[in-house]
Amino acid sequence: MSVKHHASAIAAVGLPDPQLIAQLERAGIVTLVVAPERAADFIAEAMRNDTAPPLTLLVRLERPLAMARQLRALYPQGQLLLLCEADAVAGVRRELGRTPMMGKGVSVLGISDPGLVAEIGKTVQAVRLRQRLRTTIARANAVLAAPKSPADLRLQQLVTAERYLGSLLEQASDAIVGLDPQQRVAYWNAASSRLLRLPLKDARGRAARDLPLWSAALDAALADAPAQKERTVLEVRPAVLAGVVLEITLSAIRDDGGALLGTMLLVRDVSDRHLLLDAERARNTAAITVAQSRYHQMATLFDQAPGFMAVTRGREHVYELANQAYLNTLGVRPLLGNAMDAAFPELEGQPFQHFRDQVFISGQPFIGKDMPVLLRRGAHGALEQRYLDFVYQPLFDDAGAIWGIFCQGNDVTEQKLMHDLLVEHQGELERLVDERTAELQKTQSALHHAQKLEAIGKLTGGIAHDFNNILQVIGANLDLLGQEHAATAGAPGRIASAQRAVERGAKLTAQLLAFARRQPLKPAPLNLGRIMRELDDLLRRALGESVEIETVIGGGLWTTLVDRTQLENVVLNLAINARDAMRGGGRLTIEIGNAMLDQHYVSANEEVRAGQYVMLAISDTGHGMNADVLERAIEPFFTTKGEGDGTGLGLSMAYGVVKQSGGHLKIYSEVDQGTTIKIYLPRSELAEIVEQSPRRTRVSGGTETILVVEDDADVRALVVDQLVGLGYTVLRASNAQTALSVLQSGARVDLLFTDVVMPGTLRSPELARLARDILPDIAVLFTSGYTQNAIVHAGRLDPGVELLSKPYGRQQLAAHIRAVLDQRAAHRVPDAGAGLRILVVEDNEDARDMLCQMLTMFGHQPQCVGSAEAALPLLGAADLLLTDVRLPAMSGIELARLALQSHPALRIVFISGAHVPTLEFPAVVLQKPYAIEQLQAALSG
């Protein structure tokens, strides 16, 4: 294959990849592979035959630049492309840069460059275009070289000039649009088509107003074109070219006589320039905004600074800056631009001004501390003595000369006067500190005393449970022995003596529990005046005829919530203590009345709250107590009596009962002047409940089935024997989980008799709740020697809970069992269908669970929540709202008001432990604690 037959082929010197040759062939490029040693001969022969390749590839040569120099010398116009591995491209390019004589026709690419084939095709196309242009020019030169007439020569020159001009305009990068006198397109170059997105065939002859570049500004400029002598430059933003900004240079084209031949528009896209300008403008605007913001911030900080600040200029101290604190301190008046002497003439001769002059002269800063200054706050106000802390700092220019002074400081008049006052009254302060120290020591002593009492209380409470179980075993066995040996000579007396010892032990544990505030109280609203009248005979028998008793009862007594039995024990114990203090003779005065404890009293007695109370005072004319005895008077086992004459538990028991009832006990005593003990019990808004005196009945049993749950084996065995002896059917369990299994087995149980404190994870109250779920009619009776907090809250038995305290005798057991069983039938609610839909709102979880269980037993449908917010969306599904008054966020009264607005027919029942104010809507108030009968009455009312 000769070179002549492949004049359009490119040459590849070296070892090109077959894949590259195939890609070039698919692109329409024929490649001739030439060995490196034949490259020079190949080029020389091709040039002689006028078939030199448009492009020569030097592929993977060891010395590509040496080969390039050799071929370049043979064929200076030829294009050379050096193909190297990717990691060698940078090195070859550096070497090529050091050989400028190589010319512009040499380039370097990587053999694996993805754009290699496209780059080769572009180079080949450009070389071929230049070859055609050279051929065309050669032919034109041949034609032009032929002899021509003058006219032909002139015409030829014009044609050549026109073609030259046309070629020049076509190659221009800017759009050029020629308009005829009628403003229609006469010329439209290639750049116009690209820029305005309109091809020549669509643009030629079109009116200017229909072009994409049309705008009102261009319309005005074209209208003025006939009269214009200078070119016009304008910028337009065509509506059809979104985001494009065009710069249009408009020039009028005239003939030699000045007549308008048309208009030429030079159009350039300046969008990028505008974007840059807009970005620069935005940056400048942002910088200005930041600078202004910082300036305003600094100005604000300067003006709002807590200390006064000012800047003065020159020897005359002319004000340049001053903040608001400066004006507030030295006086509000015009400052800026005024000298200090003119603005504040009252400062003349004062150190404040003198030191400023010194700073300006010396250039040394000055610090003033507690500097006295006479200032006039107003223009005509009186001079006022002030004290200032300040600093004068000299300000220097670039040359190091002082040009002004910066003043910064604070008005410390109040601090100075306070310091002087503190110094003046240092002795008074020391006295106050001593008093405060004494108060703190007193408070600390009271705290230690309270901690000691609390520790004793915890100890006694822990002992009581086991001790009462022991007493229960002893007492029950004595009961059984009394029945078995009733006819044995001497046995009844001994058994009776042992039973009295058990009773004394039970009384002792009761007193211990009372002091520890672990007694399960059953408070009721009582009138203390009536109770004291009923106790009068008992007190007189207990104290004897040698003690004169005087009782003073005030009128209009309030009721108070208190456990009557415990209160009677308190009064009896205090009265006996008073009798012993009077050594058998004297006067005992009992006074009852209403009382108000105010904040003044509360401040001296931190353990009591201000409010309304019922006061019970017991006074004697005995020997009284000194300070040491008074401090320990309520401690358990502390007594001034001889050994064997007292346990020291009477007053401690009284203290525990009063505190557990929410009250306050105060002892007033002086040696040889007697003692007064005042008991304050909180007032109750409930009406008095008059209790019927219990009638003694014989021991009776029954035929019901009782489930006994007791972890102490001895106690459990004795209780079972006693109940079987009373005729009952008895089931037994050693813990709550076993008892639950018995109930779930389907056994019929009429009464659950369970200890409160038992081992295991299932608590007794939870067992009782589950028992009622299984047997809704079951009765429950708790027993314990120490209730903890399982069924007692705030010192009181939970509503509806029945408790038989250990130790108890056979008669007490029989009476309680029979009473609870008889109560079951009385409290059973007749079946009335589905009952009421009751929405219960109570934040105390235990109280809420117990209340919902009771409502379920009554046959109602309770829905129980812990807050007013949770209750609001449930109001529509309720017939009755049963809510506590005090709730975490929204109160029960506020909840009721909202409920009645959307549900006017909803019935409202409030549960409250405090006084409920008068309401503007109908509602039933159920005071805590309440009995089952009271709850039923509130629901039915």
Side-chain angles (χ1 to χ4, degrees), residues 379 389 613:
D389 284 352
Y613 290 83

Side-chain angles (χ1 to χ4, degrees), residues 239-307:
V240 297
L241 300 176
V244 175
V245 182
L246 300 178
E247 180 186 82
I248 301 177
T249 303
L250 186 147
S251 302
I253 309 299
R254 304 178 188 276
D255 59 14
D256 294 339
L260 183 67
L261 298 178
T263 309
M264 185 182 73
L265 305 179
L266 180 62
V267 185
R268 181 174 298 166
D269 186 351
V270 294
S271 302
D272 291 342
R273 184 177 69 190
H274 274 267
L275 289 176
L276 292 175
L277 289 174
D278 291 343
E280 184 65 24
R281 191 178 297 110
R283 286 193 295 270
N284 292 339
T285 302
I288 292 172
T289 302
V290 170
Q292 289 177 341
S293 174
R294 289 177 178 172
Y295 171 78
H296 289 305
Q297 183 179 14
M298 293 300 296
T300 301
L301 290 174
F302 179 81
D303 194 56
Q304 295 182 356

